[in-house]
Amino acid sequence: MAKTFEVKLKKSTIGCSQDQIKTVRALGLKKVNQTVVKADNPANRGQLYKIQHLVEITVKN
């Protein structure tokens, strides 16, 4: 079974750069406190690194 991340949007994207807003939307997050599950791969890790100050990340096995 592959590792996954549970990603929860904790802060609003108001005032963020357009690049960060697009990254949040690409992960499937639309509202504050919304949670999505994403696969652990280099592409998703890069996206999460870019918006780490906006989200809460939990590693699932």
Side-chain angles (χ1 to χ4, degrees):
M1 186 161 95
K3 284 188 180 179
T4 59
F5 292 118
E6 190 173 274
V7 184
K8 184 174 186 177
L9 185 61
K10 294 301 288 183
K11 290 187 176 183
S12 171
T13 56
I14 294 172
C16 292
S17 69
Q18 198 64 29
D19 201 33
Q20 291 171 336
I21 294 170
K22 287 181 180 181
T23 301
V24 169
R25 296 284 183 250
L27 286 170
L29 296 166
K30 295 180 181 173
K31 296 182 177 182
V32 176
N33 289 325
Q34 182 181 1
T35 304
V36 294
V37 176
K38 291 293 176 180
D40 180 5
N41 59 46
N44 286 340
R45 281 182 180 249
Q47 287 180 320
L48 294 174
Y49 181 77
K50 183 180 271 189
I51 59 165
Q52 63 186 340
H53 61 288
L54 299 173
V55 296
E56 180 181 288
I57 303 165
T58 308
V59 178
K60 300 286 183 179
N61 292 337

